[in-house]
Amino acid sequence: MRDLYLGPAPLVDADVFMLAPERSGDVDLTYSPELLEVEGKSLSGGEFWTYLDRLSSAVQDTFGQRDYDVIHFQHLTFGATPALQRVFPNQPKVALLHGTDLLFAAEYPTQADVLKQAADVSAAVVVPTRAMADLLRRLTGEVRAVHIPWGVPDRLLAKPPAWAEKPVELLRVLYAGRLTAQKATAEILSAVSQFDGVELAVAGPTDDYARLAERTDLSRVRFLGWLSREQLWRDFADHDLLIVPSVKLEAFGLVTLEAQACGLPVAYQPLPGLVEVLGDSALACDFGNLGALDARFKEFRTSPNLLAEVAAAGLSNSARFPLSKTARELRELSQEVAQ
């Protein structure tokens, strides 16, 4: 959202909103969207529809008198999409599908209904990978799915951070992202941190990490906290390998491309979306087989030429996905459905 719609020179001209955070420090308010104060966020049953009534009223009060050529649904589940549909029933819609939409639709019948309704009223559903389109159709039936990959900011592709010198005989591994059961289990992180010659760092939400640490020994993990985008890019240059051990679904894996753009090799669980985006430009690993994974990491640690080759392949791969291309294709689609 920040890449496309916000900043001093947004790539897509739009009015943007999100829920106000519970703590003011949770969101960078520079070039902020409209923050709507709506209580009672819920995911299912009657509580969801009551919450939706309140959210729709807030959207109406803030944006209802404005005229828009097209509405962008960012997410096909949760409350914002049906609220926008209520307030702007007649404007053309473009929906942008995210992985959490499919996960929550599979878990909550209410969100499955919301997703189906959003797909039905949208002139097109933007999917970052073709694998996501297949999963969407299993839940909603036939829809017009338009493949527009997410993108790496052009400024990062043009000028990645300076690379740090690699320590001898040490593999500096990084995990970066949300710490949900779908993305990184505590058992995988604990096991990797205890591999010989491996130093594991984790960049993620503090509260999530604390919950993992209560269940599993993470004493050998170096916790970095939740980093800003630019700080994460700089930290890529201080590591030798990014791991992406997602166990259920990865819609696109933008962080993998940003790591590749910084020259950091990637090791990933070969889920359909990641395979489509990364292919042979990254190292496919079975994170469910910890014994085999340990052997693979020994290979990475003792084969610097292998990691150098993967880093070079990653640089070439990330260059295929400039954010400017994503924005251009999204603007063109929006203009088409608005006519």
Side-chain angles (χ1 to χ4, degrees):
M1 184 175 69
R2 189 173 298 277
D3 283 347
L4 288 173
Y5 304 114
L6 301 173
L11 299 177
V12 177
D13 184 22
D15 288 336
V16 185
F17 77 90
M18 62 182 291
L19 289 182
E22 295 180 1
R23 300 184 298 271
S24 60
D26 288 350
V27 172
D28 179 2
L29 297 182
T30 307
Y31 308 114
S32 171
E34 295 273 3
L35 299 178
L36 303 187
E37 298 275 357
V38 182
E39 297 181 352
K41 182 177 180 180
S42 182
L43 291 169
S44 61
E47 291 182 355
F48 172 79
W49 300 110
T50 300
Y51 159 69
L52 178 58
D53 289 340
R54 290 194 293 268
L55 181 57
S56 299
S57 295
V59 173
Q60 175 67 48
D61 291 344
T62 306
F63 302 104
Q65 303 307 311
R66 306 181 194 180
D67 186 27
Y68 298 103
D69 296 317
V70 64
I71 304 297
H72 281 186
F73 293 155
Q74 281 282 356
H75 286 294
L76 275 69
T77 54
F78 313 109
T81 284
L84 284 168
Q85 175 60 16
R86 285 186 180 186
V87 177
F88 300 103
N90 300 317
Q91 279 81 353
K93 315 291 194 310
V94 171
L96 286 81
L97 180 68
H98 297 268
T100 47
D101 300 334
L102 301 181
L103 291 171
F104 277 78
E107 185 174 354
Y108 297 95
T110 300
Q111 296 308 313
D113 291 341
V114 171
L115 182 141
K116 178 71 166 61
Q117 293 167 14
D120 287 345
V121 302
S122 297
V125 178
V126 174
V127 293
T129 60
R130 293 178 177 86
M132 285 285 283
D134 294 339
L135 293 172
L136 175 65
R137 290 189 175 105
R138 292 178 196 173
L139 291 171
T140 64
E142 191 58 37
V143 297
R144 182 194 176 193
V146 178
H147 179 219
I148 300 179
W150 304 156
V152 178
D154 292 51
R155 68 184 188 280
L156 179 61
L157 293 173
K159 190 177 180 181
W163 197 248
E165 183 177 352
K166 182 188 184 306
V168 177
E169 294 300 314
L170 179 66
L171 187 69
R172 303 168 301 174
V173 178
L174 175 66
Y175 171 83
R178 300 287 178 182
L179 293 165
T180 62
Q182 293 82 17
K183 286 185 173 290
T185 66
E187 292 73 21
I188 290 174
L189 296 178
S190 179
V192 171
S193 73
Q194 297 178 54
F195 290 165
D196 288 341
V198 169
E199 179 187 83
L200 175 64
V202 170
T206 300
D207 291 348
D208 291 352
Y209 184 79
R211 283 192 288 270
L212 293 185
E214 290 176 355
R215 306 198 317 263
T216 309
D217 180 14
L218 299 178
S219 59
R220 296 184 62 177
V221 174
R222 184 166 59 93
F223 181 57
L224 305 178
W226 187 248
L227 304 178
S228 70
R229 192 85 168 280
E230 286 73 16
Q231 182 60 56
L232 180 59
W233 294 345
R234 291 191 292 270
D235 272 35
F236 284 153
D238 293 328
H239 294 87
D240 307 304
L241 185 71
L242 177 77
I243 58 170
V244 186
S246 301
V247 296
K248 281 190 177 181
L249 171 70
E250 194 66 59
F252 186 76
L254 182 58
V255 70
T256 65
L257 291 178
E258 294 183 353
Q260 288 185 327
C262 294
L264 181 62
V266 174
Y268 72 103
Q269 183 72 29
L271 300 173
L274 290 176
V275 171
E276 187 176 327
V277 172
L278 298 174
D280 293 336
S281 73
L283 299 156
C285 297
D286 182 2
F287 282 87
N289 185 336
L290 296 178
L293 190 66
D294 189 10
R296 285 282 274 165
F297 273 54
K298 287 179 181 176
E299 178 187 5
F300 301 156
R301 180 166 56 85
T302 58
S303 305
N305 290 339
L306 170 61
L307 291 183
E309 291 171 1
V310 175
L315 280 172
S316 297
N317 186 58
S318 64
R320 299 190 301 128
F321 299 95
L323 181 62
S324 56
K325 181 175 182 290
T326 303
R328 183 182 70 252
E329 293 181 355
L330 186 56
R331 290 194 303 266
E332 291 172 350
L333 176 63
S334 299
Q335 291 167 0
E336 174 201 323
V337 304
Q339 292 177 353

